[in-house]
Amino acid sequence: MSEKHLQTGDVLPPYSGKLRLFAMRFCPYAERTVLVMNAKNLQYETVFVNLDHKPEWLSNFSPKGTVPALEYEEGKAIFDSNIINVYLDEKYPEVPLQSSDPLRRAEDKIIVELFAGAQSAFYTAAYNPSALQPNSVETYHKGLEALQLKLKERGTKFLHADTPGLVDFTLFPFLERFEALPLVGKPEFELSKTKYELLVNYLEAMKQVPAIKAYYLDPQTHAKFIESRNKGDANYNMLDTSAVCCMRPRKKKE
Ligand SMILES: N[C@@H](CCC(=O)N[C@@H](CS)C(=O)NCC(=O)O)C(=O)O
């Protein structure tokens, strides 16, 4: 998978017949869909796009210009991570990621809803720290405490069950990024092991899940991206190895 982000003026690669995901490598919403597709063992391609200089064709797939968007048939797409993920779960039921019980599905949505405050406090802390309110840290920790309590109440390895499900893949991309906050000068957002023992163990277990392992980025990498974006020049292509391919030293002739 090329990690290069296409931008204004770049041509849309030809459609191969596989599901095609429009994403941005550091976008937590797009990651939700990547994790779901990985967990379901779906064949798909990814097109990464530069969100500061969007390719002209992005709006054909995503009318609001956001990622993720999923091209499920040539030229036909749906957008929004939650909408895409429920669609995928219903369309490809071989590996189900939601409970068959409607009440349990509603409870999963409530867990996601209760986490939303922590999510927006993260965004402010990472990308707009001057707008942090005195209660932002409190809101963030309240969200994490609520999540830890749910893990305790459910008593399963993951929120979904002893294997992760949609609810886990919806929250994880944010938790992954939360660990970068102390590295960008926000120690008050740390997920301390003493306070969040259960939650931290859950996070570590999630990192071992193959669907996640294949896409996970460490806190240092997220911190680098956050810093680049805050400097006004988001480094979308920092993982793109094709850019340095030709600078490798050539093998000496024997
Ligand atoms: N509710 C949407 C949010 C998606 C979203 O905000 N994505 C960001 C990148 S992480 C985006 O595309 N931003 C570009 C823009 O808003 O123009 C979802 O769940 O898919």
mmCIF file of all heavy atoms in Angstrom, residues 96-120:
data_model
loop_
_atom_site.group_PDB
_atom_site.id
_atom_site.type_symbol
_atom_site.label_atom_id
_atom_site.label_comp_id
_atom_site.label_asym_id
_atom_site.label_seq_id
_atom_site.Cartn_x
_atom_site.Cartn_y
_atom_site.Cartn_z
ATOM 1 N N PRO A 96 -19.002 -11.335 12.009
ATOM 2 C CA PRO A 96 -19.873 -10.282 12.562
ATOM 3 C C PRO A 96 -19.144 -9.495 13.652
ATOM 4 O O PRO A 96 -18.456 -10.069 14.483
ATOM 5 C CB PRO A 96 -21.062 -11.061 13.147
ATOM 6 C CG PRO A 96 -20.580 -12.450 13.334
ATOM 7 C CD PRO A 96 -19.400 -12.675 12.433
ATOM 8 N N LEU A 97 -19.332 -8.188 13.615
ATOM 9 C CA LEU A 97 -18.634 -7.346 14.597
ATOM 10 C C LEU A 97 -19.589 -6.665 15.574
ATOM 11 O O LEU A 97 -19.155 -5.872 16.408
ATOM 12 C CB LEU A 97 -17.780 -6.295 13.869
ATOM 13 C CG LEU A 97 -16.639 -6.845 13.002
ATOM 14 C CD1 LEU A 97 -15.905 -5.730 12.298
ATOM 15 C CD2 LEU A 97 -15.659 -7.678 13.833
ATOM 16 N N GLN A 98 -20.895 -6.972 15.424
ATOM 17 C CA GLN A 98 -21.853 -6.409 16.370
ATOM 18 C C GLN A 98 -22.682 -7.546 16.962
ATOM 19 O O GLN A 98 -22.863 -8.577 16.336
ATOM 20 C CB GLN A 98 -22.822 -5.469 15.660
ATOM 21 C CG GLN A 98 -22.169 -4.249 15.044
ATOM 22 C CD GLN A 98 -23.221 -3.394 14.357
ATOM 23 O OE1 GLN A 98 -23.757 -2.464 14.935
ATOM 24 N NE2 GLN A 98 -23.513 -3.725 13.121
ATOM 25 N N SER A 99 -23.243 -7.267 18.131
ATOM 26 C CA SER A 99 -24.096 -8.257 18.774
ATOM 27 C C SER A 99 -25.387 -8.418 17.955
ATOM 28 O O SER A 99 -25.831 -7.475 17.292
ATOM 29 C CB SER A 99 -24.419 -7.770 20.180
ATOM 30 O OG SER A 99 -25.470 -8.511 20.721
ATOM 31 N N SER A 100 -26.003 -9.592 18.049
ATOM 32 C CA SER A 100 -27.294 -9.782 17.369
ATOM 33 C C SER A 100 -28.423 -9.196 18.228
ATOM 34 O O SER A 100 -29.556 -9.092 17.781
ATOM 35 C CB SER A 100 -27.527 -11.263 17.102
ATOM 36 O OG SER A 100 -27.416 -11.955 18.331
ATOM 37 N N ASP A 101 -28.110 -8.817 19.450
ATOM 38 C CA ASP A 101 -29.113 -8.261 20.357
ATOM 39 C C ASP A 101 -29.221 -6.737 20.158
ATOM 40 O O ASP A 101 -28.243 -6.016 20.373
ATOM 41 C CB ASP A 101 -28.674 -8.597 21.799
ATOM 42 C CG ASP A 101 -29.555 -7.932 22.838
ATOM 43 O OD1 ASP A 101 -30.622 -7.388 22.478
ATOM 44 O OD2 ASP A 101 -29.161 -7.947 24.025
ATOM 45 N N PRO A 102 -30.406 -6.246 19.750
ATOM 46 C CA PRO A 102 -30.543 -4.803 19.480
ATOM 47 C C PRO A 102 -30.212 -3.929 20.693
ATOM 48 O O PRO A 102 -29.660 -2.837 20.544
ATOM 49 C CB PRO A 102 -32.015 -4.632 19.097
ATOM 50 C CG PRO A 102 -32.555 -5.989 18.888
ATOM 51 C CD PRO A 102 -31.644 -6.983 19.525
ATOM 52 N N LEU A 103 -30.528 -4.442 21.892
ATOM 53 C CA LEU A 103 -30.243 -3.642 23.090
ATOM 54 C C LEU A 103 -28.733 -3.499 23.294
ATOM 55 O O LEU A 103 -28.237 -2.415 23.607
ATOM 56 C CB LEU A 103 -30.899 -4.281 24.324
ATOM 57 C CG LEU A 103 -30.687 -3.480 25.614
ATOM 58 C CD1 LEU A 103 -31.286 -2.069 25.505
ATOM 59 C CD2 LEU A 103 -31.294 -4.221 26.810
ATOM 60 N N ARG A 104 -28.025 -4.587 23.064
ATOM 61 C CA ARG A 104 -26.568 -4.537 23.219
ATOM 62 C C ARG A 104 -25.961 -3.573 22.183
ATOM 63 O O ARG A 104 -25.024 -2.826 22.480
ATOM 64 C CB ARG A 104 -26.014 -5.958 23.046
ATOM 65 C CG ARG A 104 -24.521 -6.069 23.143
ATOM 66 C CD ARG A 104 -24.033 -5.826 24.563
ATOM 67 N NE ARG A 104 -22.652 -6.253 24.667
ATOM 68 C CZ ARG A 104 -22.083 -6.724 25.761
ATOM 69 N NH1 ARG A 104 -22.757 -6.805 26.871
ATOM 70 N NH2 ARG A 104 -20.824 -7.092 25.759
ATOM 71 N N ARG A 105 -26.528 -3.566 20.985
ATOM 72 C CA ARG A 105 -26.017 -2.632 19.962
ATOM 73 C C ARG A 105 -26.283 -1.190 20.393
ATOM 74 O O ARG A 105 -25.451 -0.309 20.206
ATOM 75 C CB ARG A 105 -26.665 -2.910 18.593
ATOM 76 C CG ARG A 105 -26.271 -4.261 18.004
ATOM 77 C CD ARG A 105 -26.453 -4.286 16.496
ATOM 78 N NE ARG A 105 -27.831 -4.079 16.080
ATOM 79 C CZ ARG A 105 -28.750 -5.034 15.989
ATOM 80 N NH1 ARG A 105 -28.430 -6.295 16.285
ATOM 81 N NH2 ARG A 105 -29.980 -4.765 15.596
ATOM 82 N N ALA A 106 -27.442 -0.963 20.997
ATOM 83 C CA ALA A 106 -27.765 0.387 21.486
ATOM 84 C C ALA A 106 -26.792 0.768 22.609
ATOM 85 O O ALA A 106 -26.274 1.896 22.652
ATOM 86 C CB ALA A 106 -29.204 0.428 21.991
ATOM 87 N N GLU A 107 -26.485 -0.191 23.475
ATOM 88 C CA GLU A 107 -25.552 0.100 24.583
ATOM 89 C C GLU A 107 -24.150 0.410 24.063
ATOM 90 O O GLU A 107 -23.457 1.274 24.591
ATOM 91 C CB GLU A 107 -25.517 -1.087 25.556
ATOM 92 C CG GLU A 107 -26.777 -1.164 26.403
ATOM 93 C CD GLU A 107 -26.922 -2.487 27.165
ATOM 94 O OE1 GLU A 107 -26.106 -3.420 26.957
ATOM 95 O OE2 GLU A 107 -27.871 -2.575 27.964
ATOM 96 N N ASP A 108 -23.769 -0.288 23.005
ATOM 97 C CA ASP A 108 -22.463 -0.002 22.389
ATOM 98 C C ASP A 108 -22.429 1.437 21.874
ATOM 99 O O ASP A 108 -21.421 2.149 22.017
ATOM 100 C CB ASP A 108 -22.198 -0.957 21.212
ATOM 101 C CG ASP A 108 -21.829 -2.357 21.682
ATOM 102 O OD1 ASP A 108 -21.627 -2.559 22.894
ATOM 103 O OD2 ASP A 108 -21.742 -3.258 20.815
ATOM 104 N N LYS A 109 -23.546 1.870 21.298
ATOM 105 C CA LYS A 109 -23.591 3.246 20.764
ATOM 106 C C LYS A 109 -23.512 4.253 21.911
ATOM 107 O O LYS A 109 -22.932 5.327 21.766
ATOM 108 C CB LYS A 109 -24.872 3.463 19.957
ATOM 109 C CG LYS A 109 -24.797 2.784 18.602
ATOM 110 C CD LYS A 109 -26.011 3.103 17.751
ATOM 111 C CE LYS A 109 -25.975 2.275 16.476
ATOM 112 N NZ LYS A 109 -27.265 1.727 16.109
ATOM 113 N N ILE A 110 -24.099 3.892 23.038
ATOM 114 C CA ILE A 110 -24.038 4.791 24.199
ATOM 115 C C ILE A 110 -22.591 4.916 24.710
ATOM 116 O O ILE A 110 -22.134 6.001 25.052
ATOM 117 C CB ILE A 110 -25.007 4.303 25.310
ATOM 118 C CG1 ILE A 110 -26.447 4.558 24.837
ATOM 119 C CG2 ILE A 110 -24.731 4.996 26.644
ATOM 120 C CD1 ILE A 110 -27.525 3.947 25.700
ATOM 121 N N ILE A 111 -21.866 3.811 24.678
ATOM 122 C CA ILE A 111 -20.452 3.862 25.092
ATOM 123 C C ILE A 111 -19.698 4.845 24.201
ATOM 124 O O ILE A 111 -18.932 5.695 24.675
ATOM 125 C CB ILE A 111 -19.795 2.454 25.022
ATOM 126 C CG1 ILE A 111 -20.436 1.532 26.071
ATOM 127 C CG2 ILE A 111 -18.288 2.539 25.201
ATOM 128 C CD1 ILE A 111 -19.923 0.094 26.049
ATOM 129 N N VAL A 112 -19.954 4.763 22.903
ATOM 130 C CA VAL A 112 -19.277 5.663 21.951
ATOM 131 C C VAL A 112 -19.696 7.111 22.235
ATOM 132 O O VAL A 112 -18.865 8.030 22.247
ATOM 133 C CB VAL A 112 -19.587 5.257 20.491
ATOM 134 C CG1 VAL A 112 -19.042 6.261 19.501
ATOM 135 C CG2 VAL A 112 -19.032 3.858 20.204
ATOM 136 N N GLU A 113 -20.971 7.303 22.497
ATOM 137 C CA GLU A 113 -21.500 8.641 22.767
ATOM 138 C C GLU A 113 -20.861 9.241 24.034
ATOM 139 O O GLU A 113 -20.463 10.405 24.051
ATOM 140 C CB GLU A 113 -23.031 8.522 22.941
ATOM 141 C CG GLU A 113 -23.795 9.818 23.035
ATOM 142 C CD GLU A 113 -23.596 10.720 21.840
ATOM 143 O OE1 GLU A 113 -23.522 10.215 20.714
ATOM 144 O OE2 GLU A 113 -23.514 11.958 22.061
ATOM 145 N N LEU A 114 -20.729 8.416 25.072
ATOM 146 C CA LEU A 114 -20.155 8.918 26.331
ATOM 147 C C LEU A 114 -18.666 9.245 26.203
ATOM 148 O O LEU A 114 -18.112 9.973 27.015
ATOM 149 C CB LEU A 114 -20.360 7.894 27.464
ATOM 150 C CG LEU A 114 -21.808 7.716 27.927
ATOM 151 C CD1 LEU A 114 -21.908 6.591 28.957
ATOM 152 C CD2 LEU A 114 -22.351 9.023 28.522
ATOM 153 N N PHE A 115 -18.065 8.710 25.170
ATOM 154 C CA PHE A 115 -16.636 8.913 24.929
ATOM 155 C C PHE A 115 -16.382 10.194 24.120
ATOM 156 O O PHE A 115 -15.259 10.687 24.054
ATOM 157 C CB PHE A 115 -16.125 7.678 24.179
ATOM 158 C CG PHE A 115 -14.644 7.626 23.973
ATOM 159 C CD1 PHE A 115 -13.791 7.308 25.016
ATOM 160 C CD2 PHE A 115 -14.103 7.861 22.725
ATOM 161 C CE1 PHE A 115 -12.421 7.239 24.820
ATOM 162 C CE2 PHE A 115 -12.731 7.792 22.507
ATOM 163 C CZ PHE A 115 -11.890 7.476 23.568
ATOM 164 N N ALA A 116 -17.462 10.730 23.526
ATOM 165 C CA ALA A 116 -17.305 11.848 22.581
ATOM 166 C C ALA A 116 -16.637 13.073 23.216
ATOM 167 O O ALA A 116 -15.870 13.785 22.564
ATOM 168 C CB ALA A 116 -18.660 12.219 21.994
ATOM 169 N N GLY A 117 -16.905 13.311 24.495
ATOM 170 C CA GLY A 117 -16.304 14.463 25.176
ATOM 171 C C GLY A 117 -14.782 14.330 25.234
ATOM 172 O O GLY A 117 -14.044 15.299 25.009
ATOM 173 N N ALA A 118 -14.316 13.113 25.521
ATOM 174 C CA ALA A 118 -12.866 12.873 25.591
ATOM 175 C C ALA A 118 -12.245 13.091 24.216
ATOM 176 O O ALA A 118 -11.165 13.669 24.078
ATOM 177 C CB ALA A 118 -12.596 11.453 26.077
ATOM 178 N N GLN A 119 -12.980 12.648 23.201
ATOM 179 C CA GLN A 119 -12.517 12.783 21.825
ATOM 180 C C GLN A 119 -12.334 14.264 21.459
ATOM 181 O O GLN A 119 -11.319 14.652 20.896
ATOM 182 C CB GLN A 119 -13.603 12.195 20.947
ATOM 183 C CG GLN A 119 -13.117 11.399 19.795
ATOM 184 C CD GLN A 119 -14.309 10.680 19.163
ATOM 185 O OE1 GLN A 119 -14.724 9.630 19.644
ATOM 186 N NE2 GLN A 119 -14.858 11.223 18.110
ATOM 187 N N SER A 120 -13.330 15.080 21.799
ATOM 188 C CA SER A 120 -13.188 16.485 21.382
ATOM 189 C C SER A 120 -12.161 17.210 22.255
ATOM 190 O O SER A 120 -11.456 18.099 21.758
ATOM 191 C CB SER A 120 -14.526 17.223 21.298
ATOM 192 O OG SER A 120 -15.190 17.142 22.494
#
